[in-house]
Amino acid sequence: MQLRGTYQPRTWAFPQLPWGTLMRPRVVAAEGPGKALLCSGWYGVARKIHYTCDIAFALVWGASCGFDDVLPFFYAIFFTVMILHRLARDEARLEEKYGEAFLAYKAM
């Protein structure tokens, strides 16, 4: 809605939090029809911040079982390998789709 310029704040919705709407200008590395690489907000901090959180959750779950055996950490190890492979695939696909703009995005 905000990208199309048709955003209208909901006055009747609960909860209407003051930080729920991004009002600062967004920084974009590439823009076009259906193509926008955001470099501001959470994407200015990390490209895949939810992957980092998922790996941290898996490590905490394993650590909650103790450190006597490696078995509780099997999920964290498997998940980390899977996420790293997925990250490589995602970046290859984004570089193919956006080309030079994605390399500029990574540099930012």
Side-chain angles (χ1 to χ4, degrees), residues 4-100:
R4 288 183 242 131
T6 60
Y7 174 73
Q8 294 178 354
R10 300 172 299 177
T11 57
W12 52 269
F14 179 82
Q16 189 69 28
L17 303 173
W19 59 84
T21 304
L22 182 65
M23 293 300 186
R24 284 180 251 133
R26 60 191 177 110
V27 179
V28 180
E31 199 161 357
K35 293 182 177 183
L37 284 172
L38 295 176
C39 299
S40 56
W42 282 108
Y43 294 102
V45 177
R47 289 193 305 264
K48 301 286 186 180
I49 194 118
H50 56 286
Y51 288 177
T52 307
C53 296
D54 288 342
I55 291 171
F57 290 152
L59 286 171
V60 168
W61 291 334
S64 69
C65 295
F67 297 96
D68 296 335
D69 195 10
V70 73
L71 188 61
F73 293 97
F74 175 76
Y75 174 68
I77 295 166
F78 165 77
F79 192 75
T80 302
V81 171
M82 183 197 69
I83 287 296
L84 290 175
H85 181 258
R86 184 176 181 179
L87 178 66
R89 288 189 335 234
D90 287 350
E91 290 202 357
R93 192 174 12 190
L94 287 169
E95 190 170 344
E96 180 182 319
K97 182 177 181 180
Y98 294 106
E100 292 295 321

